[in-house]
Amino acid sequence: VNCLWNKVKPPVDYFSRYLDIYNHMTTNSKFHRTTWGRREMARIVIVFDFEWWATKHNFHSVKNLLMTAPSDPELRFMKAANKVSYVHSGNGGDLHRIDNKAVKNDFFDFVLYSQTMEHLYDPFLCVANIRDKLKRGGLVFTSMPTHNRQHSTPFHFFQYSPLAAVTIFVKTGFEIVDVGYYGSWDYEEHLFRTLKWPAPEATNPLYGPMIKKGRVPSNPEKSGLEVNSDRSDHVWVLARKL
């Protein structure tokens, strides 16, 4: 457990990365053009980390990409020569039993599936199935809630601490490349009081309304995102197939 915890715990400076997040939101054109720029605050942090990791771990461009939601905002920050969508519907797309004819084994360089793990009744099975689809050394990225309101019921089964998320991937044959998480008392207070996902203006009452109107704060160093390093409300993982 201690070994896994060392993989989970980010360096201290990680939590100061987004002190100017509101300024970044309005100046990052790729992100600003997405509807996510006006939506759930934790997802915004997830996407910014994905953009950073794409450069850090060199996956801006891959050959074969498997994705479960073509609308995921992370896709703006990577390119693929070949994209395969495996979208859940009444006719298929179930990660518990991936169609081997539609999705080849040992074929993909990257798998992207975000905000899905809470809806899987057997996450170990699903992650093992995803591993089968990756080439050796291939990468998978996912994000999931630690605290959330129930949604897509009755198909909402679990929520995950950072350590739980890492454990699932390690136990199914992956090595952990990177882990990120976001937590805030302000976020949780809004979430559980309103049962709505907090938008940017809900997590910073002073500067949030300015961002909602597309304005850049005049003093961005004081408009930072409220982050509590001992909290986790969402966690995201980049893992490599061994």
Side-chain angles (χ1 to χ4, degrees), residues 26-98:
T26 55
T27 57
N28 186 318
S29 60
K30 283 187 178 181
F31 188 80
H32 192 59
R33 287 196 299 269
T34 73
T35 58
W36 288 102
R38 296 292 180 267
R39 292 179 68 178
E40 210 262 359
M41 193 67 221
R43 190 70 186 271
I44 292 171
V45 183
I46 293 167
V47 174
F48 281 158
D49 253 10
F50 184 89
E51 179 188 18
W52 173 40
W53 290 358
T55 298
K56 180 181 176 183
H57 302 295
N58 193 30
F59 59 82
H60 271 301
S61 180
V62 300
K63 185 176 180 182
N64 297 310
L65 169 68
L66 176 64
M67 55 188 172
T68 60
S71 62
D72 275 342
E74 290 90 349
L75 291 168
R76 284 189 176 269
F77 300 100
M78 67 182 305
K79 296 179 180 179
N82 176 45
K83 297 180 180 179
V84 175
S85 295
Y86 193 70
V87 180
H88 184 265
S89 68
N91 299 318
D94 188 348
L95 294 176
H96 295 89
R97 44 184 181 276
I98 300 178

Side-chain angles (χ1 to χ4, degrees), residues 178-197:
D178 232 324
V179 181
Y181 62 88
Y182 163 81
S184 164
W185 287 110
D186 289 340
Y187 178 96
E188 292 167 22
E189 189 276 334
H190 181 90
L191 175 68
F192 294 121
R193 176 173 51 82
T194 67
L195 295 182
K196 294 180 179 179
W197 292 307

Side-chain angles (χ1 to χ4, degrees), residues 5-231:
W5 178 245
N6 289 334
K7 295 179 182 295
V8 166
K9 194 173 182 180
V12 174
D13 61 356
Y14 173 82
F15 297 100
S16 63
R17 278 188 54 79
Y18 300 115
L19 288 178
D20 64 343
I21 193 167
Y22 293 107
N23 188 48
H24 191 33
M25 284 168 59
T26 55
T27 57
N28 186 318
S29 60
K30 283 187 178 181
F31 188 80
H32 192 59
R33 287 196 299 269
T34 73
T35 58
W36 288 102
R38 296 292 180 267
R39 292 179 68 178
E40 210 262 359
M41 193 67 221
R43 190 70 186 271
I44 292 171
V45 183
I46 293 167
V47 174
F48 281 158
D49 253 10
F50 184 89
E51 179 188 18
W52 173 40
W53 290 358
T55 298
K56 180 181 176 183
H57 302 295
N58 193 30
F59 59 82
H60 271 301
S61 180
V62 300
K63 185 176 180 182
N64 297 310
L65 169 68
L66 176 64
M67 55 188 172
T68 60
S71 62
D72 275 342
E74 290 90 349
L75 291 168
R76 284 189 176 269
F77 300 100
M78 67 182 305
K79 296 179 180 179
N82 176 45
K83 297 180 180 179
V84 175
S85 295
Y86 193 70
V87 180
H88 184 265
S89 68
N91 299 318
D94 188 348
L95 294 176
H96 295 89
R97 44 184 181 276
I98 300 178
D99 184 346
N100 290 328
K101 292 182 179 179
V103 184
K104 299 177 183 178
N105 282 346
D106 302 309
F107 179 73
F108 293 93
D109 303 287
F110 201 100
V111 176
L112 172 63
Y113 72 112
S114 288
Q115 301 298 301
T116 302
M117 291 283 283
E118 67 268 33
H119 304 298
L120 305 175
Y121 62 81
D122 190 340
F124 284 91
L125 172 61
C126 293
V127 174
N129 287 341
I130 288 171
R131 183 184 182 279
D132 289 342
K133 303 306 171 186
L134 283 165
K135 297 176 182 176
R136 186 172 296 277
L139 295 171
V140 57
F141 176 88
T142 191
S143 60
M144 64 205 82
T146 306
H147 297 112
N148 208 338
R149 66 174 179 83
Q150 289 194 32
H151 57 284
S152 300
T153 53
F155 303 105
H156 189 124
F157 298 98
F158 303 107
Q159 321 224 97
Y160 300 87
S161 68
L163 189 59
V166 165
T167 299
I168 290 172
F169 282 92
V170 170
K171 294 291 287 185
T172 49
F174 286 90
E175 66 172 340
I176 303 302
V177 177
D178 232 324
V179 181
Y181 62 88
Y182 163 81
S184 164
W185 287 110
D186 289 340
Y187 178 96
E188 292 167 22
E189 189 276 334
H190 181 90
L191 175 68
F192 294 121
R193 176 173 51 82
T194 67
L195 295 182
K196 294 180 179 179
W197 292 307
E201 58 269 23
T203 56
N204 191 313
L206 178 62
Y207 285 97
M210 296 178 65
I211 297 302
K212 192 174 183 180
K213 296 177 181 179
R215 295 168 55 198
V216 180
S218 59
N219 199 0
E221 67 271 15
K222 293 185 179 180
S223 67
L225 180 64
E226 178 66 30
V227 179
N228 302 113
S229 61
D230 60 340
R231 308 295 300 165

